[in-house]
Amino acid sequence: MRQTFPVLLSVIPLSLVLVAPAHAISRYNSTGMTCQAVQSTLAREGAAVLRYPGRTGVTLYDRYVSSGRFCTADDFADDATVPTRDRADCPVKHCVKRPSPEDCGGFFEPGCTGFP
């Protein structure tokens, strides 16, 4: 019994390391950046949280990505837009839950082909 206690204590810290995120994600205010700067940031970092004021003044945010490689297997990178300093609708991508096959209207519907 004395031997299992130290082994258990050494396994607990290891399990905490395994569930920790791979790296921290950067956060930016998109309205303080140009559209080109937002797109360059996503291309360089792969993913970032972008914040911006909504229509009612409440701050909105989401995780935006450079491609589907930064989404989980159940998600795909879908087109979206965010407001920036120089554009009201800067094109970006964000991860969205992939629809189930029975919900797909056709092979070319976003997320239905199995490809990002």
Side-chain angles (χ1 to χ4, degrees), residues 4-18:
T4 35
F5 186 68
V7 171
L8 181 61
L9 288 178
S10 65
V11 171
I12 291 172
L14 178 61
S15 65
L16 292 176
V17 170
L18 294 176

Side-chain angles (χ1 to χ4, degrees), residues 33-42 44:
M33 304 168 72
T34 64
C35 184
Q36 180 62 44
V38 166
Q39 292 172 340
S40 295
T41 298
L42 293 175
R44 181 180 64 252

Side-chain angles (χ1 to χ4, degrees), residues 38-39 42 50 64-65 78-82 89-94:
V38 166
Q39 292 172 340
L42 293 175
L50 299 177
Y64 295 91
V65 296
D78 199 14
D79 294 333
T81 62
V82 294
D89 57 351
C90 178
V92 291
K93 293 187 179 297
H94 67 137

Side-chain angles (χ1 to χ4, degrees), residues 28-31 49-62:
Y28 299 96
N29 290 320
S30 66
T31 54
V49 172
L50 299 177
R51 297 181 298 241
Y52 52 91
R55 291 184 190 136
T56 62
V58 175
T59 300
L60 303 175
Y61 63 93
D62 199 355

